[in-house]
Amino acid sequence: IICGIFADKFRDKPVLIFIGMVLGTIVTYAFGTIWFIIMMQADPAYAMSVCVIPFIPFDICKMIIALILGRAVYKALKKASLIS
C-alpha cells in the first residue's frame, strides 16, 4: 500500500518511488519481526539477525529491478495510449 501510494503520487520521480518501496519494506519487516519475537519468544537482536538483516541486500536488488522494469512498462503503456 505504501509503495503504491508513492508510485501513484510521484510517477515521474523514481527516487521518491524507491523511498516508498523502502518504507513499505520496513513496515513489512517490522510486522514480521514482531510476530517472530512473540511466537518464538526471542529477543529483538536475534530476531533482527534472522528475520531482517539476511534479506536486506536481496530486497534492495528486487526494488531496483522493480523500479527499472516498472518505469519501462509505464512508458510503454503510456506510448501505446493505454494509460493517461
Side-chain angles (χ1 to χ4, degrees):
I1 292 172
I2 294 169
C3 178
I5 291 169
F6 272 72
D8 190 45
K9 187 168 179 137
F10 305 111
R11 289 183 186 177
D12 297 325
K13 297 181 176 137
V15 172
L16 293 177
I17 295 171
F18 184 77
I19 290 170
M21 291 177 177
V22 170
L23 292 175
T25 302
I26 289 170
V27 170
T28 302
Y29 284 159
F31 280 108
T33 304
I34 291 168
W35 174 83
F36 184 84
I37 289 168
I38 292 168
M39 295 303 292
M40 301 301 292
Q41 298 178 352
D43 70 75
Y46 176 72
M48 291 288 290
S49 72
V50 297
C51 296
V52 176
I53 295 170
F55 299 98
I56 291 174
F58 300 106
D59 285 342
I60 290 172
C61 290
K62 290 187 282 186
M63 288 178 216
I64 292 168
I65 291 167
L67 191 62
I68 292 167
L69 290 177
R71 303 250 328 133
V73 169
Y74 178 77
K75 286 179 182 179
L77 290 174
K78 194 168 184 176
K79 186 176 180 181
S81 298
L82 296 174
I83 59 173
S84 57

